[in-house]
Amino acid sequence: MEHYRSCNLCEAACGLAIEHDDTTVVSVRGDRDDPFSQGHICPKAMALKDLHEDPDRLKKPVVRTDSGWQEICWQQAFDMVKKQLTAIRRKYGNDAVAVYLGNPTVHSHGALMSNRAFIRALGTRNVFTATSVDQLPHHFAANYMFGHTLMLPVPDIDRTDHILIIGANPGASNGSMMTAPGINGRLRAIRARGGKVVLVDPRRTETAKLADEHHFIVPGSDVLLLAALLNVIYARHLYRPDRFRRYTANWSDLGYAVQGITLAMAARHTGISAQTIERMACEFAGSNRAVCYGRFGLSTQAHGGVCQWLVNALNIITGNLDRPGGAMFPLPAVDIAGRKGTMGKAGRWKSRVRGLPEFNGELPVSALAEEILAKGPGKIRALFICAGNPVLSTPNGRQLERALGTLDFMVSMDIYINETSRHASIILPPAFGLEVDHYDLVFNILSVRNRAKYSPVLFQPAPGALHDWQIYRELAHRLGEHRDSFPGRLRSLLRRSVQNLITPARMLDLGLLTGPYGAWRSPSGLLNGLTLKRLKRSVHGIDLGALQPRLPGALFTHDKKIDVAPALFVDRLAVVISDFDAAQGKKAPDGFYLIGRRHLRGNNSWMHNSRRLVKGKNRCTVMMHPDDAERLGLADGQPACVRSRVGAIELPLQVTREIMPGVVSIPHGYGHHRTGTRLRIAEMHAGESVNDITDDQVVDGLTGNAAFSGQVVAVAPVPGAREGDP
Ligand SMILES: Nc1nc2c(c(=O)[nH]1)N[C@H]1C(S)=C(S)[C@@H](COP(=O)(O)OP(=O)(O)OC[C@H]3O[C@@H](n4cnc5c(=O)[nH]c(N)nc54)[C@H](O)[C@@H]3O)O[C@H]1N2
Ligand SMILES: Nc1nc2c(c(=O)[nH]1)N[C@H]1C(S)=C(S)[C@@H](COP(=O)(O)OP(=O)(O)OC[C@H]3O[C@@H](n4cnc5c(=O)[nH]c(N)nc54)[C@H](O)[C@@H]3O)O[C@H]1N2
Ligand code: SF4
Ligand SMILES: [Mo]
């Protein structure tokens, strides 16, 4: 029998055709009839079988006891969580309980539709998510330019003539904040139709092989490259007011703002010559349809927020925003942005210790450990984590680990006992993967074509298992209920009855019905508009067409104009200039700029328990250029010690010309040898966590996002170690 669904492991949303015999997966292949992915998949898709069958995956709640983890029933689990959290809130106030939501949250419509109610019931300001170790700068720029954190322009990759990719490696990541299954093919197609692919990255990556041009750049210096590109465009009058004047304000201010960053300055710090930058600017502005796309490597640097503003600005002033082949705004079938903007929901409170700013209800996760460790009123004493592994995924993981050990109470809603959840008092595992239905609430707002697809449940979860949304709701309900009075009990009962009616499936149906393609949208919609029932019938998904221009109507700003030069960002340019002036020539001779990397067969920290994904040679190496290795007397395969302010790790050296001199690259998500986990395959595999050496104090000064890229580390041989030692 064949089952069709969208893969929700990464952002590409590939259509899968899963052959099964009712209880087990026989094979997984790309669904050729999925109009969006047309058969594309990657090796991780087959790991869905491994995850489904993994004996290490939790099926029932477990509680920590003196004699190890013990299974308990759900009722006991809920009672315990309510009792502990309530006691802590009563004693220390609501902010004493913090929440961290990890990456898989955005791949679960059930979690997205229920976690806000849970957070509201907790009433805490200490909310952290993986956004601030990833894409917070995108949301920041979107908020201040377009009026909504979710108004994120997406490269119209299938129609562009020129794409400038900065700090992304879709060749390994399959694309991010750009849902485009089969991205390699889409990039090749640009060149096949005579277009150009230009890549800027300190490593000659998998994506470089698909590009016409690749330029090394000194990590963390992209802000100067972007400002200089804009400078050239202004100086040579290459901007296109005819294409953007209608919906923008302050575009000439932008020209003045970037003037202070000259070509010479950019060339000196980026390592890209002034002539090359000039040519890049002219070619970009000269292309009829061009788009600049900057992702993870661009966001996670000291000026990531300014960078994402400048990326948008570059697309706007060259007339490429909201045009086919440029950067466009998808129109999803369920429009989660709603009708109100988010502007103003920023800086309403600050983190207690470092004063990092709140944004859209969240604080930067780089501050989590210090908020637990620092004594005094407002200290975090309990933590609720869902779908996150911050010990491996946030900077200074060792410090966080120490902090978790001091908590009064910790809950992990997770499917594994891993490096983070092993510190929990109790773990609540939801139904997972093939046991869950799926609709891409988030990735349809980032999709390069408008599309909709509903994936039904393939295998029923174990008897008694609960979905993430059921767990959230039950907890929200229990935290909010007042059993001590009759009116309180009555209110609780009523609320629960209403809640039981509003299932995620019903909410999804309502979202589709009232959405832009919905049956309730127009009289003709009643005949053929989208409903959940109709969507379910289209088992391979529905193509809703190429992206369409949506400005200025779709803007959330009050005046329906984009502020091209918001003061908040413009003011930061002075800081940018002084930072680079101050850093000039300061790097010690044994100092290297650290960058990260991803591998096609991994997914952040949590898929290394699949044998088929981890097999092969050790990928957790430190990459270094041969000239640097020679200078340090290090040979390929030899263990090297990489040290920073916060710690040191030892990893085998991988000597390669792929990497820029003066830079080292280490992947994240490893470090599974920590004791106390139950990851029997992952823990056998070598590898240290790069976040044991990334510094939690190094953040983007504007947004508070972790600045992983360009942190300076020292590298040295491990005393007494020989070549080939692990
Ligand atoms: N140095 C460095 N650090 C990085 C990065 C980097 O490139 N370099 N990348 C950053 C990025 S982009 C991200 S997004 C973050 C990710 O950071 P996190 O989200 O904190 O970490 P993940 O590794 O994605 O862990 C996901 C967790 O969710 C669990 N899980 C998986 N599926 C489900 C599910 O359906 N339900 C529940 N409840 N749990 C589930 C897994 O077991 C795992 O514990 O890491 C960031 N950290
Ligand atoms: N196989 C696989 N796919 C994934 C994931 C995974 O872990 N594995 N994770 C998923 C997640 S959560 C995300 S957010 C996306 C991320 O997807 P991408 O945004 O494509 O991120 P990366 O693959 O980390 O690529 C970032 C690139 O930036 C470069 N870089 C680092 N520092 C700098 C710098 O200072 N300047 C410039 N110009 N470049 C720099 C790095 O060398 C790297 O090649 O991938 C998703 N897809
Ligand atoms: S590219 Fe991403 S969505 Fe597609 S099969 Fe691989 S993990 Fe799944
Ligand atoms: Mo991410």
Side-chain angles (χ1 to χ4, degrees):
M1 264 177 296
E2 211 155 51
H3 163 90
Y4 304 104
R5 71 191 288 115
S6 276
C7 176
N8 69 342
L9 292 170
C10 87
E11 300 178 39
C14 300
L16 308 179
I18 302 180
E19 199 193 323
H20 64 99
D21 60 12
D22 271 339
T23 53
T24 47
V25 172
V26 177
S27 72
V28 181
R29 59 176 184 82
D31 179 3
R32 282 195 200 91
D33 297 318
D34 182 306
F36 189 43
S37 62
Q38 298 178 8
H40 178 268
I41 48 165
C42 87
K44 285 189 289 302
M46 196 59 197
L48 280 169
K49 173 179 165 70
D50 304 346
L51 293 169
H52 180 69
E53 294 169 359
D54 192 344
D56 289 340
R57 179 158 71 87
L58 298 175
K59 304 277 172 54
K60 291 199 175 124
V62 288
V63 66
R64 172 200 297 284
T65 68
D66 291 341
S67 52
W69 293 99
Q70 293 216 327
E71 279 188 3
I72 54 170
C73 75
W74 281 102
Q75 288 316 314
Q76 286 170 310
F78 289 131
D79 287 345
M80 178 178 169
V81 175
K82 155 138 190 185
K83 189 166 156 232
Q84 296 288 337
L85 292 185
T86 305
I88 290 168
R89 290 165 74 210
R90 283 211 182 117
K91 192 160 173 199
Y92 301 107
N94 289 352
D95 294 341
V97 180
V99 175
Y100 171 79
L101 306 177
N103 170 273
T105 303
V106 290
H107 297 272
S108 161
H109 71 287
L112 290 168
M113 286 172 170
S114 54
N115 61 16
R116 288 290 136 193
F118 168 69
I119 292 171
R120 263 199 311 277
L122 279 177
T124 176
R125 288 182 162 188
N126 280 314
V127 177
F128 304 85
T129 78
T131 295
S132 54
V133 275
D134 184 350
Q135 84 280 5
L136 184 53
H138 291 256
H139 299 298
F140 223 80
N143 188 47
Y144 288 100
M145 299 180 84
F146 312 125
H148 200 299
T149 52
L150 291 179
M151 241 197 122
L152 302 157
V154 174
D156 186 15
I157 190 168
D158 294 340
R159 289 182 287 184
T160 196
D161 298 329
H162 186 115
I163 186 166
L164 169 58
I165 305 176
I166 309 182
N169 185 14
S173 71
N174 278 300
S176 182
M177 304 193 82
M178 165 174 61
T179 289
I183 184 104
N184 290 3
R186 294 176 198 258
L187 286 172
R188 276 191 213 102
I190 297 177
R191 299 177 66 187
R193 58 179 179 263
K196 189 162 184 175
V197 178
V198 181
L199 178 69
V200 179
D201 196 306
R203 180 164 80 87
R204 201 173 299 115
T205 59
E206 293 81 348
T207 308
K209 297 184 180 78
L210 305 164
D212 295 85
E213 256 178 44
H214 164 253
H215 303 284
F216 280 139
I217 186 163
V218 172
S221 67
D222 304 72
V223 63
L224 302 181
L225 169 69
L226 284 159
L229 291 172
L230 283 163
N231 233 328
V232 174
I233 289 165
Y234 275 99
R236 295 186 172 219
H237 299 277
L238 299 173
Y239 46 86
R240 301 289 304 266
D242 54 313
R243 289 189 184 168
F244 62 73
R245 189 171 269 152
R246 219 163 38 96
Y247 56 77
T248 60
N250 296 338
W251 61 271
S252 51
D253 292 4
L254 175 69
Y256 293 115
V258 293
Q259 261 176 6
I261 295 174
T262 60
L263 264 179
M265 180 182 186
R268 189 163 66 246
H269 291 283
T270 59
I272 305 176
S273 74
Q275 295 94 303
T276 305
I277 298 176
E278 236 175 344
R279 179 175 58 77
M280 284 167 79
C282 295
E283 286 181 6
F284 188 88
S287 298
N288 188 31
R289 301 180 296 181
V291 63
C292 178
Y293 164 70
R295 245 318 268 141
F296 182 82
L298 191 70
S299 288
T300 53
Q301 47 178 279
H303 296 291
V306 177
C307 286
Q308 292 301 344
W309 159 51
L310 295 178
V311 166
N312 288 339
L314 183 60
N315 287 327
I316 292 169
I317 68 150
T318 52
N320 285 299
L321 187 75
D322 199 41
R323 284 187 83 238
M328 302 193 77
F329 298 101
L331 185 63
V334 179
D335 198 356
I336 57 169
R339 311 220 188 287
K340 274 211 299 249
T342 47
M343 213 131 93
K345 291 193 175 171
R348 291 168 295 172
W349 59 88
K350 288 197 155 73
S351 71
R352 178 179 62 111
V353 179
R354 215 186 311 172
L356 292 180
E358 166 265 349
F359 182 74
N360 208 19
E362 286 183 28
L363 287 168
V365 69
S366 291
L368 175 58
E370 67 198 21
E371 292 296 322
I372 300 172
L373 289 170
K375 294 201 173 67
K379 174 177 150 68
I380 294 173
R381 293 169 190 270
L383 179 61
F384 184 100
I385 297 190
C386 180
N389 193 3
V391 164
L392 297 192
S393 63
T394 66
N396 201 353
R398 287 285 179 194
Q399 175 184 246
L400 181 62
E401 218 166 18
R402 277 195 301 280
L404 297 184
T406 69
L407 288 168
D408 293 351
F409 187 61
M410 172 174 156
V411 188
S412 247
M413 194 152 128
D414 209 290
I415 50 173
Y416 284 116
I417 302 175
N418 64 17
E419 299 76 10
T420 298
S421 62
R422 76 183 171 111
H423 295 277
S425 323
I426 181 167
I427 309 179
L428 311 176
F432 167 83
L434 304 175
E435 303 161 351
V436 175
D437 65 340
H438 175 64
Y439 180 87
D440 269 311
L441 277 184
V442 168
F443 298 102
N444 286 347
I445 62 169
L446 297 166
S447 175
V448 298
R449 282 186 77 82
N450 292 314
R451 63 175 285 262
K453 181 164 174 172
Y454 174 81
S455 310
V457 168
L458 170 55
F459 299 128
Q460 285 308 318
L466 295 177
H467 291 281
D468 43 13
W469 61 273
Q470 291 172 307
I471 301 171
Y472 271 129
R473 280 192 177 180
E474 186 60 31
L475 289 173
H477 183 77
R478 289 193 184 217
L479 289 170
E481 77 185 345
H482 300 282
R483 280 171 187 250
D484 29 9
S485 69
F486 177 71
R489 278 206 298 276
L490 192 67
R491 259 203 313 275
S492 289
L493 197 73
L494 280 174
R495 208 181 310 131
R496 191 187 282 264
S497 318
V498 173
Q499 220 179 49
N500 288 345
L501 292 175
I502 315 171
T503 58
R506 291 212 170 96
M507 285 163 81
L508 184 58
D509 198 17
L510 193 67
L512 291 166
L513 284 166
T514 55
Y517 314 89
W520 290 357
R521 203 51 185 219
S522 64
S524 64
L526 285 173
L527 285 178
N528 51 16
L530 271 183
T531 62
L532 185 56
K533 202 167 160 196
R534 284 177 190 155
L535 190 58
K536 280 181 176 173
R537 261 189 250 132
S538 305
V539 292
H540 305 287
I542 297 177
D543 180 41
L544 297 167
L547 305 186
Q548 301 293 329
R550 295 188 58 204
L551 298 191
L555 289 171
F556 286 88
T557 47
H558 300 302
D559 57 358
K560 293 273 173 205
K561 293 224 180 225
I562 299 167
D563 185 353
V564 185
L568 190 75
F569 293 90
V570 171
D571 292 349
R572 286 299 298 183
L573 285 176
V575 182
V576 170
I577 294 173
S578 72
D579 275 7
F580 280 94
D581 284 346
Q584 183 72 25
K586 290 259 173 73
K587 186 160 71 74
D590 66 343
F592 285 85
Y593 293 112
L594 176 65
I595 60 167
R597 70 178 186 272
R598 289 180 152 71
H599 192 277
L600 189 60
R601 288 175 172 272
N603 196 17
N604 296 326
S605 76
W606 69 278
M607 286 183 63
H608 293 139
N609 216 39
S610 155
R611 204 180 300 275
R612 87 179 79 218
L613 290 184
V614 286
K615 69 178 187 218
K617 62 177 194 264
N618 179 10
R619 294 190 280 265
C620 188
T621 61
V622 46
M623 286 183 170
M624 184 183 272
H625 190 273
D627 294 351
D628 290 326
E630 198 185 324
R631 186 165 51 80
L632 295 183
L634 278 162
D636 190 56
Q638 190 179 339
C641 176
V642 189
R643 185 178 296 282
S644 74
R645 182 188 74 85
V646 304
I649 54 175
E650 289 175 12
L651 293 167
L653 194 76
Q654 185 179 347
V655 178
T656 167
R657 287 186 187 280
E658 237 179 56
I659 192 113
M660 184 177 184
V663 180
V664 287
S665 157
I666 303 174
H668 74 291
Y670 290 85
H672 304 298
H673 53 284
R674 281 158 157 85
T675 53
T677 63
R678 194 189 300 162
L679 298 164
R680 276 169 285 193
I681 296 170
E683 70 188 16
M684 287 187 310
H685 279 80
E688 297 282 338
S689 173
V690 69
N691 285 325
D692 289 352
I693 60 166
T694 54
D695 193 333
D696 54 302
Q697 297 295 315
V698 185
V699 297
D700 173 8
L702 182 62
T703 66
N705 201 73
F708 294 116
S709 288
Q711 294 195 7
V712 177
V713 292
V715 185
V718 174
R722 292 170 328 235
E723 199 171 323
D725 277 1

